[in-house]
Amino acid sequence: MIDDALDRPHEECGVVGIWSRPEKQVDVARLMFFCLYALQHRGQESAGMATSDGHQVQVHRGMGLVSQVFNEQNLLPLRGHLGIGHNRYSTTGSSHLANAQPYVLQTLHGPLAVAHNGNVTNAGTMRRQLMERGVGLTSSSDTEAIAQYLAMPPAFLSRGGANWERRMAHLMEVAEGAYSLAILTKDALWAMRDPLGMRPLCVGHLKQDGEIVAWLVASESCALLTIGAKVVRELEPGELVRIDGEGIHTVHRAPPPRTPALCVFEYVYFARPDSIMNTQSVQVVRSRMGRQLAREAPADADLVFGVPDSSVPAAMAYSEELGIPYREGLIKNRYIGRTFIQPSEELRRNSVRLKFNALRENLEGKRVVMIDDSIVRGTTMGPLVRLVREAGKAKEVHVRVASPPIRHPCFMGVDLASYEQLIAHRLDVAAITRHVGADSLAYLSVEGLHAAVGKGMPVGQGHCDACFTGRYPVDITEVRSEEHMSELQSPCNLV
């Protein structure tokens, strides 16, 4: 399988949830399909939906892209007026159908389904506690631990009623790390963000003839806009909301954190540019990064171009700030995608050429600045520089990166590789420059990144920048432990 992202941080996950008025007969599954399609960039390994009519739950999950998992035939049985959906990239839990979401349980109080974006850093402890209480686990996903915790009432609750609100509030006290959740119960849709707000989650509504017919939650606002819904707001860190026939209402708030910690990589790479996060346009923030990069690391060059697609806003802003013309330098083959046809060894060695072509007409004989959003392992930048030199015939290639050097792994749900694999952990900037074969290389500073991100941000907000600084907002001792990592692996190996 060709890695569509090449040397990129692997995406997190995307979640969506819909509650609709039963009498309006909204096609919930079809709406979720298009929402998940809009969130495809957040996970490409598996996709799934669970829908309910208040009595029964229908589920369909599969490996692959949304368009590969769903079709008219398997959407048809997904009936009901509420549902949740999920795109997955595996972080905790291997890439098998057993780990695909939503995770669904039948409980004494009706169906329970969970879709999760993030990574619970104390999932090993949670899994062990569940097994000590006699709960059998069938997957290596932390989402299963979340669902089982909700299904098994804590000791302080009476077993006579569901008390979903108190169960979810208790989960927020127990679970550590990053989690945005869409949860389906018999008669309600629930949405929850972890107390640090590390993963995004927003809420909106869909109107017909001026009347609200459905409420929705999604990882990014672009998913809601895709189906014509209006974005109402983002969930606050530590907020739990219930959506039912009475509308949407907050039922629990965790104590506010000293500083919220939304993943700053949402702005750098993960989020779609047309999404809004912390009330800011991702496109605008990326442009600010490019302008700040130009101030910190100007280059004497003839033209600027960005590595498609997420680097383009920063590259255009870099060009404008320095008065250097912007031109296309690389054309992306958008349809190579995730093919299951294995390339030959020769093609594998030249995988960058499968993904990009250089525009020789624009590059030949020019001193060029190539802007990228990040460098992770360094395995793609070198071939890109060679492509621009050899196929594009550029005279000089100056690389500028619109984020700081990634020196630390992420333990909160983003696959950024290990310390040994991160090139900026092993080499300084001068050595990386030689490694990739550039004439010069410079990164945006940590201070510059925060200046760009924070310019339009509400007071009191903050971000997790641990991949750049090593300052983790949660205790990562357990998730880094090899003992606990081995505990997270299921012996069942279901496929």
Side-chain angles (χ1 to χ4, degrees):
M1 183 184 301
I2 293 176
D3 181 5
D4 183 56
L6 296 174
D7 183 29
R8 296 291 196 207
H10 288 300
E11 294 87 343
E12 303 152 325
C13 297
V15 302
V16 63
I18 301 178
W19 182 94
S20 65
R21 293 175 57 183
E23 70 274 15
K24 295 298 182 180
Q25 297 185 330
V26 174
D27 193 341
V28 167
R30 190 170 298 271
L31 289 179
M32 286 200 297
F33 171 86
F34 288 105
C35 287
L36 290 176
Y37 206 90
L39 296 174
Q40 186 71 86
H41 58 287
R42 299 189 70 86
Q44 297 93 41
E45 288 197 349
S46 65
M49 292 185 202
T51 62
S52 173
D53 59 3
H55 302 285
Q56 294 183 325
V57 171
Q58 299 78 36
V59 185
H60 183 75
R61 304 180 300 176
M63 303 302 293
L65 305 176
V66 173
S67 59
Q68 296 169 323
V69 172
F70 296 104
N71 54 45
E72 291 287 350
Q73 287 69 40
N74 57 42
L75 281 177
L76 192 62
L78 297 175
R79 297 299 185 185
H81 66 282
L82 70 158
I84 60 174
H86 189 266
N87 290 333
R88 185 171 192 266
Y89 177 82
S90 62
T91 50
T92 297
S94 56
S95 180
H96 295 297
L97 184 57
N99 288 320
Q101 298 183 37
Y103 193 86
V104 182
L105 291 173
Q106 191 61 237
T107 77
L108 183 64
H109 307 289
L112 172 69
V114 177
H116 170 213
N117 172 26
N119 193 47
V120 176
T121 55
N122 65 333
T125 295
M126 291 176 63
R127 289 170 62 83
R128 186 170 58 251
Q129 290 171 349
L130 286 166
M131 288 187 281
E132 287 173 351
R133 296 179 70 181
V135 177
L137 301 173
T138 62
S139 77
S140 54
S141 169
D142 53 352
T143 309
E144 182 182 17
I146 289 172
Q148 293 286 6
Y149 248 87
L150 292 175
M152 178 177 288
F156 62 81
L157 283 183
S158 166
R159 294 182 181 270
N163 291 308
W164 291 120
E165 175 185 332
R166 295 190 67 186
R167 296 184 193 212
M168 294 179 195
H170 177 65
L171 172 69
M172 202 177 294
E173 295 174 359
V174 172
E176 299 173 2
Y179 50 92
S180 283
L181 302 173
I183 303 170
L184 180 153
T185 58
K186 181 174 67 175
D187 53 3
L189 169 68
W190 308 73
M192 177 196 305
R193 275 183 89 184
D194 67 76
L196 289 171
M198 301 186 73
R199 296 288 167 259
L201 198 62
C202 63
V203 62
H205 56 61
L206 183 67
K207 286 186 175 182
Q208 292 178 1
D209 301 321
E211 183 181 13
I212 295 176
V213 297
W215 285 92
L216 307 92
V217 296
S219 292
E220 293 185 38
S221 58
C222 65
L224 304 184
L225 298 176
T226 294
I227 61 168
K230 179 182 178 181
V231 179
V232 174
R233 65 180 180 89
E234 298 169 78
L235 264 69
E236 296 294 328
E239 183 179 9
L240 169 65
V241 300
R242 175 186 169 114
I243 303 173
D244 54 21
E246 298 179 3
I248 180 171
H249 36 281
T250 299
V251 296
H252 178 75
R253 288 185 187 272
R258 184 169 52 190
T259 304
L262 174 67
C263 174
V264 77
F265 237 96
E266 294 287 353
Y267 296 109
V268 174
Y269 175 69
F270 290 130
R272 262 180 41 168
D274 54 335
S275 287
I276 303 295
M277 290 192 177
N278 269 346
T279 72
Q280 298 192 91
S281 160
V282 173
Q283 168 88 4
V284 170
V285 174
R286 288 178 182 164
S287 294
R288 289 196 210 117
M289 292 176 185
R291 291 190 182 279
Q292 184 65 28
L293 180 62
R295 298 181 191 114
E296 293 182 3
D300 187 10
D302 302 311
L303 64 89
V304 176
F305 68 91
V307 178
D309 289 308
S310 55
S311 307
V312 171
M316 295 181 72
Y318 186 100
S319 162
E320 292 172 1
E321 185 70 16
L322 296 179
I324 303 173
Y326 178 87
R327 298 286 186 272
E328 284 189 299
L330 295 170
I331 297 298
K332 186 176 182 180
N333 183 352
R334 303 179 190 281
Y335 303 102
I336 194 72
R338 289 171 58 87
T339 173
F340 288 84
I341 304 300
Q342 295 298 317
S344 66
E345 192 60 36
E346 179 64 24
L347 285 174
R348 191 184 301 277
R349 285 195 297 268
N350 292 287
S351 59
V352 165
R353 290 181 181 267
L354 289 175
K355 193 71 177 179
F356 298 103
N357 289 330
L359 273 174
R360 180 172 176 175
E361 294 79 3
N362 288 348
L363 302 177
E364 187 169 8
K366 302 291 179 59
R367 302 167 300 163
V368 304
V369 180
M370 180 165 61
I371 308 289
D372 206 353
D373 51 64
S374 58
I375 299 177
V376 183
R377 296 169 178 84
T379 55
T380 295
M381 183 53 68
L384 278 176
V385 171
R386 287 195 298 274
L387 181 67
V388 171
R389 284 195 195 279
E390 296 171 5
K393 302 299 181 183
K395 181 180 178 181
E396 297 176 7
V397 183
H398 302 274
V399 175
R400 297 293 182 268
V401 184
S403 65
I406 301 172
R407 296 192 169 101
H408 307 271
C410 177
F411 300 100
M412 281 76 73
V414 180
D415 186 1
L416 280 176
S418 65
Y419 274 111
E420 293 73 22
Q421 295 170 320
L422 293 171
I423 192 170
H425 176 74
R426 297 183 288 106
L427 303 176
D428 61 19
V429 174
I432 298 173
T433 306
R434 293 191 295 271
H435 178 82
V436 303
D439 290 282
S440 70
L441 167 66
Y443 293 84
L444 181 64
S445 67
V446 173
E447 295 77 16
L449 174 65
H450 283 291
V453 171
K455 184 175 181 181
M457 193 172 62
V459 176
Q461 298 299 309
H463 295 88
C464 174
D465 63 1
C467 54
F468 306 126
T469 65
R471 298 190 296 261
Y472 295 95
V474 296
D475 185 358
I476 60 168
T477 304
E478 177 175 322
V479 76
R480 290 188 64 179
S481 163
E482 290 185 3
E483 177 183 350
H484 284 290
M485 289 300 287
S486 65
E487 286 179 8
L488 290 172
Q489 300 305 311
S490 166
C492 300
N493 195 28
L494 300 178
V495 294

